[in-house]
Amino acid sequence: MGVRLSLETAAARGLGALSRAVGRGGGTTVPGKALWKLDPGAVDALARRLPEGTVVFSATNGKTTTTAMAAEILGGRRRLAWNRAGANLLSGIASALVSAGRADLGLFEVDEAALPEALERLQPRVLALGNLFRDQLDRYGELELVAERWRAAVERLPVDTTLVVNADDAVVADLADGRASALRFGLDDPRHARPHLQHAADSKYCLRCGTPYDFAAAYVGHLGDYRCPACGHARPALDVAARDIELRGLHASRFSLETAGGNRVIELRLPGLYNVYNAVAAASTALASGATLEEIRLGLKRFGAAFGRFERIAAGGKSIVLLLIKNPAGANEVVRTLEMGVPPVLVVALNDAIADGRDVSWIWDVDFEPLLEHVGLVIATGERAAELGLRMTYGGLPAERLEVIPSLERALDRGLGLVEAGTELVVLPTYTAMLSLRAILSERGAVRPYWDSTA
C-alpha cells in the first residue's frame, strides 16, 4: 500500500505541475481529482500519515480568511498541509495532501455541502464550525437542510474530537450540546450590536419550541446573544470571547481575546466586525490545536488578508480594494464597514456561475441603501450587471450616478480612471467575478495568482 500510494501521489503531483506549466490554473484541484480516480481511499490514507492529524474549519461566511488566520498562527512551528487557495471540495483537500510533502498537521477549510464526507475521510482531531447563513439556495437548499447534514456528521465523530463552535449562532452552538470536548466562542460587546435584528436574518426561531428569540445583542445577521422567552433556550457561556472591541475605520480593528487560560489584546490589520468573528474563530481553532495565547496574538498581528477578502492591490499609483460578497449576511457586513468611509466610486460585480449560485435574487436582501445615499457613482458589472443595476435603481440611486458595464475589465478600467492618484477604488465582487478580476490584474503584473504561496 505504501509503494502504491507513493506512486499515485507522484503521478498526481506531476499533473498539478503540468496544469501550472500550460497555464490551465494553479493545480489546486487537478491532482486531487486524478488521485480520486486512481484510488478513492488515498485521501484517507494520506490524512492518517499526518503526525498531528487534521483540523477542519467550515462555515458559510469566512472560511478562507479564518483558515488563513489559523495557518498564520499554527504554521510557526508546524509544517502544514493546507488548501491555501481556497479549493475546499474533496478534490482541493486531496490536492493539498498530495502537495504537502512531510507535513505535520493538516489544516483544511471545507465547503458546507462537502463537510460530511470530508469528516468521514479525514477524521479530524479538531472540527471548528463558524456560522450557517442562507447561501446558494439552488445548490445547498434551505439552511435547515445543511444543518441536518452537519448534525448527522458531527454525531458520527469520535468522542475525542474537539468541537469548536460559534456560540452566537444558535444552530451551530447546538451541535456541541452534550459533547465532552467542546470550545464555544463569540462576541461580547453590546456597543457594536445592531439596534434590531435585520430583516434578512436567518435563524430567528428557538430550536426547542419555535418561539422567536429575543436578542440582547445582534452582531452579524442572526449572530448574537439570544434567548427564548418561552422555554429559556439561550446562548451558552463563552469559553473564548472578544470584548472591548475597537473598529478603526477601513484599515484595522482591536479587541481583547479572553479565555480561561488568560487574555491578550489582539491587533488586527483588517476592519469590520465580521473580521473580529473570523479572528476569534481562528484563535479558538488554534487553541484547540495546541497553540499558545502568545502565538495567537503574534499570528493575528502578522496576518494581512486572504485573497479577495479586503485585499488591497496596487495599480498605477492607486489601490484596488477587493471585498468579496456572496450572500445577504456577508454583503450587509461589507456595507456596514464601508459606511465608515463611503467611497466616491464603487464597482459592484455580480456573476451567476455555479460557484456563485445561479439564483441572484439574494441581492434584493442586501441593504445597499446606506451606501447609495452617499456614493458618487456605482458601476454595475458582471454577467448579471443589468439585474444589479435594476437593484441599485430601486434602492434610490439616480440614473446619473449609475453606469452598467457588463465587461469586468472595462468596468475596472472605468473605475480606475475616475479615482484620483493615491486613493482607492473599492470593488465588491461575487466569487467568480473576484477570480476574474484578479486574473486580469495578474496578467497586468499587479498581483500574483491566488494559488501562488508567495502572494
Side-chain angles (χ1 to χ4, degrees), residues 31-300:
K33 289 178 179 177
L35 187 62
W36 195 263
K37 291 287 187 183
L38 287 168
D39 181 3
V43 173
D44 314 45
L46 288 172
R48 286 195 298 269
R49 285 185 170 187
L50 295 166
E52 296 188 35
T54 61
V55 175
V56 166
F57 182 81
S58 192
T60 304
N61 290 348
K63 289 186 292 294
T64 300
T65 298
T66 299
T67 310
M69 286 176 170
E72 188 66 51
I73 297 166
L74 295 170
R77 54 186 174 90
R78 299 171 180 85
R79 292 168 296 185
L80 299 179
W82 165 38
N83 50 345
R84 67 173 65 244
N88 56 30
L89 300 177
L90 264 295
S91 55
I93 294 167
S95 295
L97 285 165
V98 164
S99 61
R102 297 179 178 275
D104 303 306
L105 176 69
L107 175 64
F108 304 111
E109 68 160 281
V110 180
D111 172 85
E112 301 97 295
L115 184 65
E117 185 174 4
L119 296 182
E120 289 285 349
R121 296 192 171 277
L122 297 174
Q123 293 292 294
R125 54 178 276 223
V126 176
L127 168 62
L129 301 173
N131 51 66
L132 273 177
F133 291 109
R134 176 165 49 94
D135 186 49
Q136 295 189 42
L137 292 179
D138 55 315
R139 176 170 171 243
Y140 296 129
E142 291 292 344
L143 182 150
E144 289 78 11
L145 294 176
V146 180
E148 287 175 10
R149 296 177 189 127
W150 276 22
R151 181 175 299 282
V154 167
E155 288 174 352
R156 292 192 296 269
L157 287 173
V159 293
D160 58 348
T161 297
T162 300
L163 189 59
V164 178
V165 295
N166 185 348
D168 291 359
D169 188 317
V171 173
V172 172
D174 194 58
L175 297 176
D177 195 34
R179 287 193 70 93
S181 182
L183 198 64
R184 297 165 177 85
F185 67 86
L187 271 54
D188 187 18
D189 191 339
R191 296 174 304 155
H192 295 283
R194 288 185 179 274
H196 51 77
L197 200 64
Q198 292 178 286
H199 73 278
D202 296 304
S203 299
K204 306 175 185 179
Y205 301 98
C206 178
L207 301 178
R208 303 288 188 266
C209 70
T211 303
Y213 283 118
D214 286 338
F215 282 81
Y219 296 110
V220 174
H222 61 266
L223 306 185
D225 185 358
Y226 52 88
R227 183 176 183 82
C228 176
C231 71
H233 180 250
R235 179 178 74 169
L238 303 179
D239 301 306
V240 181
R243 296 189 173 98
D244 299 326
I245 300 168
E246 296 178 20
L247 301 179
R248 298 175 171 178
L250 297 181
H251 291 270
S253 53
R254 181 180 185 272
F255 64 93
S256 174
L257 180 71
E258 301 187 6
T259 77
N263 306 335
R264 287 294 187 281
V265 173
I266 303 298
E267 301 282 352
L268 197 62
R269 290 187 292 153
L270 291 174
L273 206 60
Y274 62 105
N275 276 315
V276 175
Y277 261 119
N278 292 338
V280 178
S284 302
T285 304
L287 272 176
S289 305
T292 67
L293 283 174
E294 191 61 13
E295 286 175 327
I296 290 168
R297 184 187 73 81
L298 293 173
L300 291 175

Side-chain angles (χ1 to χ4, degrees), residues 354-438:
I354 291 173
D356 304 293
R358 296 292 193 188
D359 182 353
V360 298
S361 62
W362 62 270
I363 62 174
W364 295 90
D365 285 329
V366 179
D367 298 323
F368 286 113
E369 283 74 9
L371 290 184
L372 303 184
E373 185 177 350
H374 302 289
V375 70
L377 178 72
V378 172
I379 300 173
T381 184
E383 295 164 355
R384 302 296 288 270
E387 287 90 337
L388 186 59
L390 182 65
R391 168 67 183 91
M392 299 302 175
T393 300
Y394 271 85
L397 187 68
E400 64 271 16
R401 291 199 280 131
L402 172 67
E403 294 186 15
V404 178
I405 306 174
S407 165
L408 290 170
E409 187 163 19
R410 285 183 52 225
L412 179 64
D413 288 338
R414 171 65 172 156
L416 283 171
L418 291 171
V419 298
E420 298 179 357
T423 62
E424 297 179 333
L425 173 66
V426 176
V427 183
L428 312 185
T430 55
Y431 184 71
T432 64
M434 179 268 290
L435 294 182
S436 296
L437 287 164
R438 285 188 100 266

Side-chain angles (χ1 to χ4, degrees), residues 302-332:
R302 290 192 302 266
F303 184 77
F307 70 93
R309 286 83 169 172
F310 232 107
E311 180 183 22
R312 284 182 165 82
I313 300 171
K318 305 171 184 180
S319 292
I320 299 166
V321 183
L322 294 178
L323 296 94
L324 178 70
I325 59 173
K326 53 177 282 194
N327 55 31
N332 280 333

